[in-house]
Structures are given as C-alpha cells and as structure tokens.
Amino acid sequence: MKNFQIRNVLIILIFLTKSSVGFGQFEKKSEDLAALTKTADSVRAAFFSGDVETVMKYHHPEVIKAIGPDKLLVGRKAVASDLKNTLENFQLEFIKNEVENQRIYGDTSIKQILFSLRGTPKQGGEPWTFSGRTLVISVRYDKSPTGWAIIHEIIQPFPQN
C-alpha cells in the first residue's frame, strides 16, 4: 500500500512539474504574440502616415524582401530607399490583413498573411488595390521597440482583376 501511495505522489508531482513548465512557455508565447502583433500594427500605421523611419525600426539590418517576382531588396538601406520612393508618390493603407498562420519557434516567428493594400496617388489619379499573400519571418532584435524585427519577407501577388 505504501508503494502505491508513493507512486501516486510521484505521478502527481511529475504532472504538476510538467504543467507548470508548459504554462510558463504559454505565458512567454502570449507575450511574444502580443509583441509581434504590436510590431505589425506599428508598421501598418507607419505605412499609412508615410513614416519610413518608424517602419525601419521594425526591420533587422540584414532584412531581405522579395516584394515581387522581379524585385529583391537586400538590407535595411535598400528597403528604406524603396519604401521612401513609394511613399513619396502614394498614400498606402492596409484594407485587409488576415493572419492565416503564425508560429513561434524560440527566437523566430513565421507568419503567413492575406492582405490588400490601397494606394492613392498623391499627385492625383485613381486609387488602386494590390492583394496578395505574404510570408513574414521575424527574429528577436533588442533594438526594435517591441523586441522583434522583420528579417525576411516574401510577397506573392494575386492576379489583379
């Protein structure tokens, strides 16, 4: 009988230990998800306001972006230059941002998003909409306001009607 009781106590202790470790990991993941959401929200808001400097705070210095089939940008300077040129000519607004999938693996986040972006020419002309799917990989980066920075992004445009 005594062995039975000791075994039960050990099983309960093991269960409690595993539960508390799992809970701690969940808390960290929730904090990470909140920081990553804030990163994405801040980037979209800065796009809308035309604030390239703020957008770049959330990009790793070694960022690589494939923003079209024929356009690969390597490094923060290239991304900032391209974005500055775009925002000088267009007001950009994300009108759809639907996260299809997001996973966090340690210090890396992988997020897949369906999006639509409305561009309004600043010098007049008709607004346009660009839609697609993007894969955004972020890493922990202590110089980012949220502790996360985009290091790689691939944009898959949808055919425009």
Side-chain angles (χ1 to χ4, degrees), residues 15 19 25 31 39 42 54 64 67 72 85 89-90 92 96 104 112 117 119 129-131 133 138 142 146 149 154:
F15 175 78
S19 295
Q25 290 171 345
E31 291 171 9
T39 299
S42 297
T54 296
I64 298 172
I67 61 174
L72 181 67
N85 289 337
N89 294 298
F90 300 97
L92 298 180
K96 177 180 181 179
I104 298 171
Q112 183 175 306
L117 187 65
T129 301
F130 178 83
S131 298
R133 176 177 280 121
S138 299
D142 61 358
T146 59
I154 299 172

Side-chain angles (χ1 to χ4, degrees), residues 73-143:
L73 304 171
V74 179
R76 190 188 283 165
K77 186 176 179 179
V79 172
S81 177
D82 185 75
L83 182 58
K84 182 178 181 249
N85 289 337
T86 300
L87 293 177
E88 284 175 352
N89 294 298
F90 300 97
Q91 168 85 41
L92 298 180
E93 179 182 9
F94 285 87
I95 55 176
K96 177 180 181 179
N97 186 69
E98 181 182 312
V99 176
E100 291 183 298
N101 192 309
Q102 182 169 10
R103 297 284 188 263
I104 298 171
Y105 301 99
D107 293 338
T108 305
S109 164
I110 303 169
K111 183 171 16 177
Q112 183 175 306
I113 305 163
L114 288 174
F115 72 94
S116 291
L117 187 65
R118 178 181 301 130
T120 304
K122 290 185 174 180
Q123 303 302 318
E126 291 297 314
W128 46 263
T129 301
F130 178 83
S131 298
R133 176 177 280 121
T134 185
L135 181 70
V136 179
I137 301 172
S138 299
V139 293
R140 289 188 198 280
Y141 182 61
D142 61 358
K143 294 180 182 172

